[in-house]
Amino acid sequence: MNARVTSILGTKYPLIQGGMAWVADAYLASAVSNGGGLGLIAAGSMNGELLRKEIQLARTLTDKPFGVNIMLMNPCTPELAQVVIEEKVAVVTTGAGSPGKYVEGWKAAGIKVIPVIASTGLARRMESLGVDAVVAEGCEAGGHIGEITTMALIPQVVDCISIPVIAAGGIADGRGIAAVSMLGASGIQVGTRFLTSTECTIHVNYKNLVIKSRDIDSRVTGRSGGHPVRCIKNALVMDLLALEKKGATFEEMETIMVGSLRKAVKNGDMKEGSFMAGQIAGLVSEIQPAQVIIEEMFAEYEEIIKNGGSI
Ligand SMILES: Cc1cc2nc3c(=O)[nH]c(=O)nc-3n(C[C@H](O)[C@H](O)[C@H](O)COP(=O)(O)O)c2cc1C
Protein backbone atom coordinates (compact mmCIF):
# COMPACT_ATOMS: atom_id res chain seq x y z
CA MET A 1 0.00 0.00 0.00
CA ASN A 2 1.31 3.46 -0.77
CA ALA A 3 1.39 6.75 1.10
CA ARG A 4 -1.51 8.35 -0.80
CA VAL A 5 -3.98 7.44 1.90
CA THR A 6 -1.82 8.13 4.96
CA SER A 7 -1.09 11.61 3.64
CA ILE A 8 -4.81 12.31 3.17
CA LEU A 9 -5.72 10.92 6.62
CA GLY A 10 -2.67 12.20 8.49
CA THR A 11 -2.15 8.75 10.04
CA LYS A 12 0.64 6.20 10.45
CA TYR A 13 -1.36 3.39 8.80
CA PRO A 14 -3.69 3.56 5.75
CA LEU A 15 -6.61 2.37 7.91
CA ILE A 16 -10.01 3.84 8.69
CA GLN A 17 -12.22 2.41 11.42
CA GLY A 18 -15.63 2.18 9.79
CA GLY A 19 -18.36 4.52 10.97
CA MET A 20 -20.84 2.34 12.86
CA ALA A 21 -24.06 3.98 14.04
CA TRP A 22 -24.61 3.58 17.84
CA VAL A 23 -21.24 1.77 18.06
CA ALA A 24 -18.49 4.15 16.95
CA ASP A 25 -18.31 6.79 19.70
CA ALA A 26 -15.51 9.06 20.92
CA TYR A 27 -13.94 6.19 22.92
CA LEU A 28 -13.55 3.86 19.95
CA ALA A 29 -12.58 6.63 17.52
CA SER A 30 -9.88 8.04 19.81
CA ALA A 31 -8.47 4.56 20.57
CA VAL A 32 -8.12 3.83 16.84
CA SER A 33 -6.55 7.23 16.18
CA ASN A 34 -4.13 6.76 19.10
CA GLY A 35 -3.30 3.35 17.61
CA GLY A 36 -2.19 4.85 14.29
CA GLY A 37 -5.39 4.55 12.20
CA LEU A 38 -8.18 7.05 11.58
CA GLY A 39 -10.96 6.67 14.14
CA LEU A 40 -14.45 7.77 13.13
CA ILE A 41 -17.35 8.96 15.24
CA ALA A 42 -20.53 7.66 13.60
CA ALA A 43 -23.24 10.31 13.55
CA GLY A 44 -25.92 7.95 12.19
CA SER A 45 -27.95 8.10 15.41
CA MET A 46 -27.06 11.66 16.46
CA ASN A 47 -28.31 15.20 16.10
CA GLY A 48 -25.99 18.20 15.84
CA GLU A 49 -25.75 18.80 19.58
CA LEU A 50 -24.85 15.18 20.38
CA LEU A 51 -22.26 15.08 17.62
CA ARG A 52 -20.62 18.29 18.85
CA LYS A 53 -20.34 16.84 22.38
CA GLU A 54 -18.85 13.59 21.03
CA ILE A 55 -16.27 15.48 18.93
CA GLN A 56 -15.29 17.58 21.93
CA LEU A 57 -14.99 14.44 24.09
CA ALA A 58 -12.77 12.77 21.47
CA ARG A 59 -10.48 15.82 21.52
CA THR A 60 -9.86 15.21 25.24
CA LEU A 61 -8.91 11.58 24.48
CA THR A 62 -6.57 12.01 21.50
CA ASP A 63 -4.42 14.67 19.88
CA LYS A 64 -4.38 12.68 16.63
CA PRO A 65 -6.70 13.32 13.67
CA PHE A 66 -10.09 11.62 13.69
CA GLY A 67 -13.17 11.85 11.49
CA VAL A 68 -16.96 11.73 11.44
CA ASN A 69 -19.22 9.41 9.43
CA ILE A 70 -22.50 10.93 8.30
CA MET A 71 -25.25 8.50 7.26
CA LEU A 72 -27.14 10.57 4.69
CA MET A 73 -30.45 8.88 5.62
CA ASN A 74 -30.27 10.64 9.01
CA PRO A 75 -32.84 13.50 8.91
CA CYS A 76 -30.40 15.63 10.94
CA THR A 77 -27.83 15.57 8.09
CA PRO A 78 -27.99 19.35 7.33
CA GLU A 79 -27.10 20.28 10.94
CA LEU A 80 -24.48 17.51 11.20
CA ALA A 81 -22.89 18.81 7.99
CA GLN A 82 -22.57 22.24 9.62
CA VAL A 83 -21.22 20.91 12.94
CA VAL A 84 -18.27 19.15 11.25
CA ILE A 85 -17.32 22.49 9.64
CA GLU A 86 -17.64 24.45 12.88
CA GLU A 87 -15.67 21.84 14.81
CA LYS A 88 -12.97 21.65 12.10
CA VAL A 89 -13.12 17.86 11.80
CA ALA A 90 -10.22 16.43 9.75
CA VAL A 91 -12.13 13.88 7.64
CA VAL A 92 -15.79 13.22 6.80
CA THR A 93 -16.98 9.91 5.36
CA THR A 94 -20.55 9.49 4.16
CA GLY A 95 -22.81 6.47 3.84
CA ALA A 96 -26.07 5.70 2.01
CA GLY A 97 -25.87 7.71 -1.19
CA SER A 98 -24.34 10.89 -2.57
CA PRO A 99 -23.21 13.76 -0.29
CA GLY A 100 -23.53 16.02 -3.40
CA LYS A 101 -24.60 19.42 -2.04
CA TYR A 102 -22.37 19.23 1.07
CA VAL A 103 -19.04 18.53 -0.64
CA GLU A 104 -18.24 22.09 -1.68
CA GLY A 105 -18.74 23.50 1.83
CA TRP A 106 -16.66 20.74 3.43
CA LYS A 107 -13.83 21.15 0.93
CA ALA A 108 -13.86 24.94 1.42
CA ALA A 109 -13.46 24.30 5.18
CA GLY A 110 -10.38 22.13 4.52
CA ILE A 111 -12.13 18.85 5.39
CA LYS A 112 -11.07 15.69 3.54
CA VAL A 113 -14.18 14.05 2.06
CA ILE A 114 -14.37 10.28 1.55
CA PRO A 115 -17.78 8.85 0.52
CA VAL A 116 -18.53 5.14 0.91
CA ILE A 117 -19.65 3.63 -2.41
CA ALA A 118 -20.66 0.17 -3.62
CA SER A 119 -20.63 0.59 -7.42
CA THR A 120 -18.45 2.05 -10.17
CA GLY A 121 -21.22 4.46 -11.18
CA LEU A 122 -21.28 6.16 -7.80
CA ALA A 123 -17.45 6.09 -7.63
CA ARG A 124 -17.29 8.07 -10.89
CA ARG A 125 -19.90 10.56 -9.70
CA MET A 126 -17.98 11.09 -6.46
CA GLU A 127 -14.71 11.70 -8.28
CA SER A 128 -16.39 14.34 -10.44
CA LEU A 129 -17.58 16.13 -7.27
CA GLY A 130 -13.92 16.55 -6.25
CA VAL A 131 -13.76 14.21 -3.22
CA ASP A 132 -10.37 13.09 -1.91
CA ALA A 133 -10.84 9.29 -2.03
CA VAL A 134 -13.63 6.71 -1.86
CA VAL A 135 -14.26 3.76 0.41
CA ALA A 136 -15.40 0.89 -1.86
CA GLU A 137 -17.41 -1.48 0.32
CA GLY A 138 -18.19 -5.06 -0.67
CA CYS A 139 -21.32 -6.90 0.44
CA GLU A 140 -19.38 -9.11 2.89
CA ALA A 141 -19.46 -6.11 5.24
CA GLY A 142 -21.65 -5.69 8.29
CA GLY A 143 -24.52 -3.18 8.30
CA HIS A 144 -26.13 -1.63 5.19
CA ILE A 145 -24.59 -3.15 2.08
CA GLY A 146 -24.60 -3.14 -1.72
CA GLU A 147 -24.71 -6.14 -4.06
CA ILE A 148 -21.09 -6.68 -5.17
CA THR A 149 -18.35 -8.57 -3.32
CA THR A 150 -15.11 -6.86 -2.31
CA MET A 151 -13.18 -9.18 -4.67
CA ALA A 152 -15.17 -8.05 -7.71
CA LEU A 153 -15.79 -4.41 -6.69
CA ILE A 154 -12.28 -3.18 -5.85
CA PRO A 155 -10.48 -3.77 -9.19
CA GLN A 156 -13.42 -2.36 -11.16
CA VAL A 157 -13.53 0.80 -9.03
CA VAL A 158 -9.73 1.15 -9.18
CA ASP A 159 -9.90 1.01 -12.98
CA CYS A 160 -12.59 3.65 -13.35
CA ILE A 161 -11.28 6.51 -11.16
CA SER A 162 -7.88 8.01 -10.39
CA ILE A 163 -8.39 9.09 -6.75
CA PRO A 164 -7.35 6.54 -4.06
CA VAL A 165 -9.65 3.59 -3.35
CA ILE A 166 -9.95 2.37 0.24
CA ALA A 167 -11.29 -1.19 0.43
CA ALA A 168 -13.91 -2.32 2.96
CA GLY A 169 -15.84 -5.52 3.57
CA GLY A 170 -14.33 -8.72 4.88
CA ILE A 171 -10.93 -7.38 5.96
CA ALA A 172 -9.86 -8.43 9.46
CA ASP A 173 -6.22 -9.51 9.21
CA GLY A 174 -3.01 -9.03 7.24
CA ARG A 175 -4.13 -11.45 4.55
CA GLY A 176 -7.13 -9.26 3.85
CA ILE A 177 -4.91 -6.17 3.55
CA ALA A 178 -2.54 -8.01 1.19
CA ALA A 179 -5.46 -9.26 -0.93
CA VAL A 180 -7.05 -5.85 -1.46
CA SER A 181 -3.66 -4.24 -2.06
CA MET A 182 -3.17 -6.75 -4.92
CA LEU A 183 -6.57 -5.63 -6.27
CA GLY A 184 -5.29 -2.05 -6.37
CA ALA A 185 -6.63 -0.59 -3.10
CA SER A 186 -4.51 2.10 -1.41
CA GLY A 187 -5.98 1.64 2.07
CA ILE A 188 -8.52 -0.31 4.12
CA GLN A 189 -11.61 0.34 6.22
CA VAL A 190 -12.41 -2.13 9.01
CA GLY A 191 -15.66 -2.44 10.96
CA THR A 192 -16.39 -5.91 12.30
CA ARG A 193 -12.97 -6.55 13.87
CA PHE A 194 -13.21 -3.34 15.90
CA LEU A 195 -16.53 -4.48 17.41
CA THR A 196 -14.49 -6.67 19.76
CA SER A 197 -11.86 -4.07 20.58
CA THR A 198 -11.41 -3.37 24.28
CA GLU A 199 -12.35 0.28 23.86
CA CYS A 200 -15.55 -0.43 21.92
CA THR A 201 -18.39 0.33 24.36
CA ILE A 202 -21.02 -2.09 22.98
CA HIS A 203 -22.72 -4.59 25.33
CA VAL A 204 -20.63 -7.64 26.21
CA ASN A 205 -23.33 -9.92 24.67
CA TYR A 206 -22.64 -8.24 21.31
CA LYS A 207 -18.87 -8.82 21.59
CA ASN A 208 -19.39 -12.44 22.63
CA LEU A 209 -21.80 -13.05 19.75
CA VAL A 210 -19.24 -11.75 17.24
CA ILE A 211 -16.55 -13.96 18.79
CA LYS A 212 -18.84 -17.03 18.72
CA SER A 213 -20.02 -16.45 15.14
CA ARG A 214 -18.93 -18.75 12.36
CA ASP A 215 -18.48 -17.97 8.66
CA ILE A 216 -22.10 -18.88 7.84
CA ASP A 217 -23.83 -17.10 10.73
CA SER A 218 -24.71 -13.77 9.10
CA ARG A 219 -27.91 -13.10 7.14
CA VAL A 220 -29.07 -10.25 4.91
CA THR A 221 -32.52 -8.82 5.57
CA GLY A 222 -34.33 -6.10 3.61
CA ARG A 223 -33.21 -7.08 0.09
CA SER A 224 -36.81 -7.05 -1.16
CA GLY A 225 -37.27 -3.42 -0.06
CA GLY A 226 -33.97 -2.30 -1.56
CA HIS A 227 -32.26 -1.71 1.81
CA PRO A 228 -30.18 -4.83 2.53
CA VAL A 229 -28.59 -5.08 5.98
CA ARG A 230 -26.16 -7.77 7.15
CA CYS A 231 -26.53 -8.99 10.77
CA ILE A 232 -25.67 -12.07 12.79
CA LYS A 233 -28.72 -14.36 12.74
CA ASN A 234 -30.97 -14.41 15.80
CA ALA A 235 -34.72 -14.50 16.50
CA LEU A 236 -35.26 -10.98 15.09
CA VAL A 237 -33.42 -11.75 11.86
CA MET A 238 -35.26 -15.04 11.33
CA ASP A 239 -38.64 -13.28 11.94
CA LEU A 240 -37.71 -10.57 9.43
CA LEU A 241 -36.69 -13.13 6.81
CA ALA A 242 -39.95 -15.06 7.29
CA LEU A 243 -41.97 -11.84 6.92
CA GLU A 244 -40.01 -10.89 3.82
CA LYS A 245 -40.76 -14.29 2.29
CA LYS A 246 -44.45 -13.62 2.88
CA GLY A 247 -44.13 -10.34 0.96
CA ALA A 248 -44.17 -7.88 3.90
CA THR A 249 -43.82 -4.22 2.92
CA PHE A 250 -40.78 -2.09 3.74
CA GLU A 251 -42.91 -0.23 6.32
CA GLU A 252 -43.95 -3.48 8.08
CA MET A 253 -40.31 -4.57 8.28
CA GLU A 254 -39.27 -1.11 9.52
CA THR A 255 -41.74 -1.29 12.43
CA ILE A 256 -39.90 -4.33 13.76
CA MET A 257 -36.42 -3.00 12.93
CA VAL A 258 -36.83 0.41 14.59
CA GLY A 259 -34.54 0.71 17.59
CA SER A 260 -33.15 -2.81 17.12
CA LEU A 261 -29.50 -1.75 16.69
CA ARG A 262 -29.76 0.33 19.86
CA LYS A 263 -31.23 -2.70 21.69
CA ALA A 264 -28.22 -4.79 20.61
CA VAL A 265 -25.60 -2.16 21.41
CA LYS A 266 -26.97 -0.81 24.69
CA ASN A 267 -28.91 -3.76 26.18
CA GLY A 268 -27.34 -6.79 24.52
CA ASP A 269 -30.92 -7.89 23.77
CA MET A 270 -30.32 -11.26 22.10
CA LYS A 271 -33.91 -11.63 20.82
CA GLU A 272 -34.91 -8.18 19.60
CA GLY A 273 -31.49 -6.69 18.96
CA SER A 274 -29.99 -6.27 15.50
CA PHE A 275 -26.38 -7.45 15.79
CA MET A 276 -24.88 -6.01 12.64
CA ALA A 277 -21.58 -7.65 11.67
CA GLY A 278 -19.83 -8.89 8.55
CA GLN A 279 -19.08 -12.35 7.17
CA ILE A 280 -15.54 -12.03 8.49
CA ALA A 281 -16.87 -12.29 12.09
CA GLY A 282 -15.91 -15.98 11.90
CA LEU A 283 -12.27 -14.91 11.93
CA VAL A 284 -12.62 -12.64 14.96
CA SER A 285 -11.81 -14.61 18.07
CA GLU A 286 -10.79 -12.32 20.94
CA ILE A 287 -11.14 -8.95 22.63
CA GLN A 288 -8.00 -6.86 22.10
CA PRO A 289 -7.05 -3.17 22.38
CA ALA A 290 -7.55 -1.26 19.11
CA GLN A 291 -3.84 -0.50 18.86
CA VAL A 292 -2.95 -4.20 19.13
CA ILE A 293 -5.50 -5.05 16.42
CA ILE A 294 -4.02 -2.47 14.05
CA GLU A 295 -0.38 -3.39 14.73
CA GLU A 296 -1.11 -7.12 14.42
CA MET A 297 -2.90 -6.66 11.08
CA PHE A 298 -0.13 -4.57 9.54
CA ALA A 299 2.70 -6.74 10.94
CA GLU A 300 1.06 -9.77 9.30
CA TYR A 301 0.64 -7.82 6.04
CA GLU A 302 4.34 -6.77 6.06
CA GLU A 303 5.36 -10.38 6.65
CA ILE A 304 3.28 -11.58 3.69
CA ILE A 305 4.74 -8.94 1.39
CA LYS A 306 8.28 -9.80 2.61
CA ASN A 307 7.65 -13.45 1.77
CA GLY A 308 6.54 -12.60 -1.75
CA GLY A 309 2.84 -13.04 -1.12
CA SER A 310 2.68 -16.21 0.99
CA ILE A 311 2.24 -16.50 4.75
C1 LIG B 1 -22.56 -2.42 13.54
C2 LIG B 1 -22.24 -1.73 12.24
C3 LIG B 1 -22.81 -0.49 11.98
C4 LIG B 1 -22.49 0.19 10.81
N1 LIG B 1 -22.99 1.45 10.61
C5 LIG B 1 -22.54 2.20 9.57
C6 LIG B 1 -22.86 3.59 9.49
O1 LIG B 1 -23.53 4.16 10.36
N2 LIG B 1 -22.38 4.28 8.41
C7 LIG B 1 -21.60 3.70 7.42
O2 LIG B 1 -21.20 4.39 6.47
N3 LIG B 1 -21.27 2.38 7.49
C8 LIG B 1 -21.69 1.64 8.55
N4 LIG B 1 -21.26 0.33 8.70
C9 LIG B 1 -20.24 -0.21 7.75
C10 LIG B 1 -18.80 0.02 8.30
O3 LIG B 1 -18.49 1.38 8.39
C11 LIG B 1 -17.71 -0.67 7.46
O4 LIG B 1 -17.66 -0.16 6.16
C12 LIG B 1 -17.90 -2.18 7.39
O5 LIG B 1 -18.13 -2.70 8.68
C13 LIG B 1 -16.65 -2.84 6.80
O6 LIG B 1 -16.80 -4.22 6.60
P1 LIG B 1 -16.47 -5.33 7.74
O7 LIG B 1 -17.64 -5.28 8.67
O8 LIG B 1 -16.39 -6.61 6.98
O9 LIG B 1 -15.19 -4.93 8.40
C14 LIG B 1 -21.61 -0.40 9.84
C15 LIG B 1 -21.08 -1.68 10.11
C16 LIG B 1 -21.38 -2.34 11.29
C17 LIG B 1 -20.74 -3.69 11.54
Side-chain angles (χ1 to χ4, degrees):
M1 296 212 161
N2 56 40
R4 285 171 91 195
V5 168
T6 49
S7 67
I8 292 171
L9 305 179
T11 55
K12 179 175 177 189
Y13 298 105
L15 174 143
I16 303 179
Q17 159 249 311
M20 294 180 276
W22 287 104
V23 172
D25 57 10
Y27 295 102
L28 178 59
S30 58
V32 170
S33 290
N34 286 333
L38 186 87
L40 293 185
I41 295 168
S45 60
M46 297 180 187
N47 59 22
E49 197 188 327
L50 277 174
L51 176 61
R52 195 185 301 278
K53 279 195 187 139
E54 211 60 28
I55 293 169
Q56 288 170 356
L57 174 59
R59 289 230 161 90
T60 68
L61 302 169
T62 185
D63 55 6
K64 301 275 191 304
F66 60 87
V68 167
N69 170 260
I70 299 183
M71 260 298 223
L72 299 162
M73 289 185 304
N74 183 340
C76 299
T77 295
E79 55 175 298
L80 298 171
Q82 191 52 35
V83 168
V84 294
I85 293 175
E86 288 164 12
E87 292 295 326
K88 300 184 171 47
V89 167
V91 178
V92 168
T93 72
T94 58
S98 168
K101 59 181 176 182
Y102 303 110
V103 173
E104 210 180 309
W106 289 338
K107 295 297 301 169
I111 297 173
K112 305 288 187 203
V113 183
I114 310 182
V116 179
I117 57 98
S119 69
T120 54
L122 195 53
R124 277 198 207 94
R125 268 171 61 206
M126 293 303 101
E127 182 174 50
S128 67
L129 285 177
V131 304
D132 297 276
V134 294
V135 171
E137 189 196 65
C139 60
E140 299 92 326
H144 293 263
I145 52 170
E147 285 294 342
I148 311 175
T149 61
T150 301
M151 182 83 173
L153 179 67
I154 303 303
Q156 296 189 69
V157 173
V158 167
D159 280 355
C160 79
I161 54 176
S162 41
I163 53 175
V165 177
I166 298 166
I171 305 164
D173 66 8
R175 292 171 297 182
I177 307 175
V180 295
S181 93
M182 293 299 138
L183 298 175
S186 305
I188 55 163
Q189 171 161 294
V190 173
T192 296
R193 183 146 183 207
F194 284 119
L195 288 172
T196 65
S197 61
T198 315
E199 298 88 348
C200 182
T201 55
I202 59 175
H203 196 280
V204 66
N205 289 355
Y206 201 151
K207 292 190 182 183
N208 288 338
L209 189 63
V210 173
I211 289 171
K212 255 183 32 204
S213 288
R214 298 163 303 163
D215 50 352
I216 54 168
D217 284 340
S218 79
R219 292 288 182 278
V220 177
T221 60
R223 269 219 166 91
S224 56
H227 295 281
V229 179
R230 185 180 299 285
C231 307
I232 298 173
K233 72 172 180 202
N234 66 350
L236 171 82
V237 169
M238 297 326 267
D239 285 351
L240 283 168
L241 287 173
L243 271 173
E244 219 173 335
K245 213 170 173 182
K246 281 190 209 150
T249 62
F250 175 68
E251 287 71 27
E252 283 167 328
M253 308 262 298
E254 260 312 279
T255 319
I256 304 179
M257 282 290 278
V258 165
S260 58
L261 180 57
R262 183 184 48 74
K263 285 181 191 165
V265 170
K266 300 288 178 201
N267 313 334
D269 185 334
M270 301 298 280
K271 276 195 183 147
E272 294 183 11
S274 167
F275 294 86
M276 292 183 188
Q279 291 181 329
I280 205 69
L283 208 70
V284 178
S285 57
E286 56 183 324
I287 295 174
Q288 294 169 301
Q291 181 165 358
V292 174
I293 292 175
I294 297 168
E295 285 173 356
E296 207 178 271
M297 288 179 71
F298 279 93
E300 189 182 18
Y301 165 63
E302 297 291 344
E303 194 61 24
I304 293 169
I305 297 301
K306 214 172 72 193
N307 294 337
S310 53
I311 298 173

